[in-house]
Amino acid sequence: MVELFPKDVRSQPGLDRLTGLPDRGECLSRLISTLAQHHGRDDAVSVFWLNVDRFRQINNSFGHIVGDSVLIELARRLERAKPDGSVLARMGADEFVLIASCVGADDAEHIGRNLLTAIGQALGVGTRRVRPSASIGIALVGSEDSASELLERADRAMLEAKREGGGRCSLVNPQAVQAHGSKHLAREELSVEEMLHRALETGGLYLEYQPIVRAEDRSILAVESLMRCRVGDGVIPPGRFIPVAEKTGLIMHLGDWGLVTAGGFVRRLAQQGQHLKVAVNVSRAQLQTTSFTKSLHGMLAYTGIEAAQMELEITESLFMDASTVVQDNLRAAMEAGVSLALDDFGTGFSSLACLKDLPAHKIKLDRAFVVGLPNDRRAFSVAKAVAQLASDLGITVVAEGVETAEQYESLCEAGVTAIQGFHVAHPMGEAQLLNWLSTLNHD
Ligand code: C2E
Ligand code: CA
Ligand code: CA
């Protein structure tokens, strides 16, 4: 592959060492001066933020030297395809920015398509031929835009293009005001998304199980499966990766995987003579698709477990969701014999009165009502009222996040049916849980 510029040029300040293109800092200063020149003129400035799709895979499969030569080749293609008088810069890694003057959205999209075509030509990588692709975000200048605002908007649009599958352009107009800090959030999301993909590829996804015990005698009632994502030496908590998975659609993958894995665990236990119920958390995005019922039926058929050994944990607002898809999915689950638990009860807006209309078999009293016990008498009253009403309706109440013996006692006094929390047991891996169950059986 041909290098863009001779080496002596590439070591100049303001130029990227690999490609010889203007670097990040130089890009920003050129954009500032372009905006100043265009001020008050009719022709608009547009900024194209380009990110190579799946570049990490090329780097991982062929090594960094090949990865570098791919970047040099792509830079060369972009340089050839860009309009006369425009500025192409490398922002770092596999990201490029083009600053061009153009008259409007159509014009900008035309330029974007040309860049994508240039990038998409087949390319020899090692012994293989690959067709690279890229995601491009386009921002058109608004009258009050600063250089960094324009770059942020283009970057954000690029993430949008990537989210839609890559190999495309996405354009934002000046009216699309972004919330403060949204760029940072988008970046964080993209990195979590990348980690999730990596975990899916490398088997880094796993479940932990946390016991739920009967309040009266601490015998096991069920376990809740909690998803974990290991990347390298670290573990990303579900509070961070579930929302990203929901946004990007990856949750379908994760959700199906979670159902089958939890079901498989229940089957293995049953084969050893232990009959346990597992509760699986289900997110909004899952329940809002018609394929959820298929996944649930598929899991039951595949694992061969009894439907009664599976429970779905669903938040209040989802239970209340009036959409036909959600309601159909809930009904289908119940008809199959799978029970439903209302998760995080008390954190939503529903009142106690709603309980009588909900098809829940179990409600999980949120940790917010547990943390202040035994001293918080108001929380105690709520726990007691919920327990009383649920008992009248034939619904089981589980108190979540129980950390101390005092909380445990107070909840027993309030009349809750079951307890879950670090005081009883932390979430644990399969082998550890089997151990824990065996100590329970010997007590
Ligand atoms: P959640 O469903 O309310 O799960 C209970 C959370 O409380 C878990 O956090 C659990 O580790 C934690 N916990 C349990 N006992 C105690 C305690 O005594 N004290 C305290 N402070 N915390 C306790 P985790 O595992 O980080 O999960 C957080 C949330 O992520 C879950 O909240 C659930 O909404 C979601 N999640 C976890 N796994 C899945 C999954 O497989 N699918 C979906 N859709 N969501 C999941
Ligand atoms: Ca839960
Ligand atoms: Ca909960």
Side-chain angles (χ1 to χ4, degrees):
M1 262 171 257
V2 185
E3 293 182 351
L4 258 187
F5 294 103
K7 282 198 164 54
D8 52 334
V9 174
R10 283 186 280 129
S11 53
Q12 285 178 19
L15 295 187
D16 168 52
R17 292 177 64 84
L18 183 70
T19 59
L21 294 172
D23 63 13
R24 202 182 182 94
E26 182 65 18
C27 173
L28 191 64
S29 67
R30 298 240 191 140
L31 182 57
I32 291 168
S33 59
T34 307
L35 288 177
Q37 284 161 18
H38 278 253
H39 195 69
R41 277 170 41 185
D42 282 346
D43 55 341
V45 176
S46 49
V47 170
F48 299 72
W49 190 297
L50 183 147
N51 181 294
V52 182
D53 295 331
R54 293 174 300 279
F55 183 69
R56 187 173 52 79
Q57 254 159 289
I58 295 181
N59 253 344
N60 289 351
S61 316
F62 300 98
H64 288 267
I65 294 175
V66 172
D68 281 356
S69 67
V70 167
L71 286 175
I72 291 171
E73 169 62 14
L74 296 183
R76 197 166 62 98
R77 292 177 176 190
L78 291 171
E79 188 68 32
R80 282 211 210 110
K82 78 182 175 63
D84 288 344
S86 60
V87 174
L88 178 70
R90 178 169 179 233
M91 301 305 272
D94 55 345
E95 297 195 294
F96 299 89
V97 159
L98 180 81
I99 306 165
S101 49
C102 58
V103 272
D106 290 348
D107 199 13
E109 281 181 332
H110 177 71
I111 296 172
R113 276 196 299 277
N114 283 348
L115 298 178
L116 287 179
T117 309
I119 290 277
Q121 305 303 311
L123 173 72
V125 178
T127 55
R128 303 249 310 273
R129 287 192 79 66
V130 298
R131 277 195 181 274
S133 71
S135 303
I136 300 181
I138 310 172
L140 297 178
V141 74
S143 51
E144 303 301 326
D145 277 325
S146 71
S148 61
E149 279 163 352
L150 256 183
L151 285 169
E152 271 186 33
R153 263 215 322 273
D155 184 17
R156 179 129 189 117
M158 180 278 292
L159 293 171
E160 210 43 58
K162 192 144 285 235
R163 204 159 278 148
E164 284 166 16
R168 67 190 70 210
C169 297
S170 166
L171 185 138
V172 282
N173 57 36
Q175 286 78 37
V177 180
Q178 300 298 326
H180 181 70
S182 59
K183 179 192 169 208
H184 176 72
L185 206 66
R187 283 277 141 173
E188 151 85 6
E189 281 173 3
L190 196 70
S191 86
V192 171
E193 186 184 353
E194 205 179 313
M195 287 192 267
L196 269 178
H197 275 290
R198 215 172 337 145
L200 275 168
E201 285 162 16
T202 57
L205 217 58
Y206 62 100
L207 294 182
E208 283 192 334
Y209 301 93
Q210 187 178 32
I212 300 169
V213 299
R214 290 185 186 83
E216 52 185 16
D217 59 0
R218 292 191 182 227
S219 61
I220 186 93
L221 181 70
V223 291
E224 176 179 4
S225 75
L226 295 160
M227 204 175 282
R228 304 288 181 252
C229 175
R230 186 188 296 115
V231 181
D233 294 335
V235 175
I236 327 172
R240 241 180 105 202
F241 71 77
I242 296 283
V244 175
E246 287 192 323
K247 266 195 170 169
T248 57
L250 257 181
I251 192 73
M252 299 306 173
H253 246 72
L254 300 193
D256 286 353
W257 176 87
L259 271 176
V260 172
T261 307
F265 175 54
V266 167
R267 183 189 50 193
R268 279 194 296 285
L269 276 178
Q271 284 163 348
Q272 298 173 26
Q274 297 244 31
H275 294 277
L276 198 65
K277 181 179 216 160
V278 68
V280 176
N281 290 286
V282 180
S283 72
R284 173 174 297 274
Q286 282 175 277
L287 269 192
Q288 277 171 338
T289 62
T290 47
S291 62
F292 178 77
T293 295
K294 242 182 270 161
S295 295
L296 187 65
H297 287 161
M299 180 279 297
L300 291 172
Y302 174 73
T303 60
I305 63 167
E306 299 285 332
Q309 287 182 285
M310 174 67 57
E311 185 160 80
L312 305 178
E313 292 200 3
I314 292 153
T315 55
E316 258 175 284
S317 62
L318 251 187
F319 259 112
M320 302 299 198
D321 190 315
S323 76
T324 329
V325 184
V326 172
Q327 292 304 323
D328 284 353
N329 280 328
L330 292 180
R331 193 173 318 111
M334 284 196 304
E335 281 168 9
V338 171
S339 57
L340 303 179
L342 172 49
D343 205 355
D344 306 337
F345 182 76
T347 56
F349 295 104
S350 62
S351 66
L352 280 180
C354 294
L355 274 185
K356 73 172 183 10
D357 301 319
L358 291 180
H361 305 87
K362 188 184 271 178
I363 59 179
K364 301 191 74 177
L365 186 66
D366 194 75
R367 185 169 169 263
F369 298 98
V370 171
V371 73
L373 296 179
N375 301 327
D376 183 343
R377 296 321 285 173
R378 294 169 78 92
F380 179 81
S381 301
V382 173
K384 197 169 163 186
V386 172
Q388 178 64 54
L389 185 66
S391 143
D392 291 349
L393 294 168
I395 297 172
T396 305
V397 178
V398 180
E400 290 190 290
V402 180
E403 292 182 349
T404 67
E406 292 74 26
Q407 289 169 350
Y408 192 114
E409 271 161 34
S410 173
L411 288 157
C412 286
E413 196 190 325
V416 309
T417 342
I419 303 284
Q420 176 181 9
F422 298 162
H423 173 66
V424 175
H426 283 256
M428 48 195 143
E430 190 169 323
Q432 219 186 336
L433 179 75
L434 285 173
N435 240 329
W436 188 87
L437 287 171
S438 70
T439 58
L440 202 69
N441 293 341
H442 290 134
D443 281 348

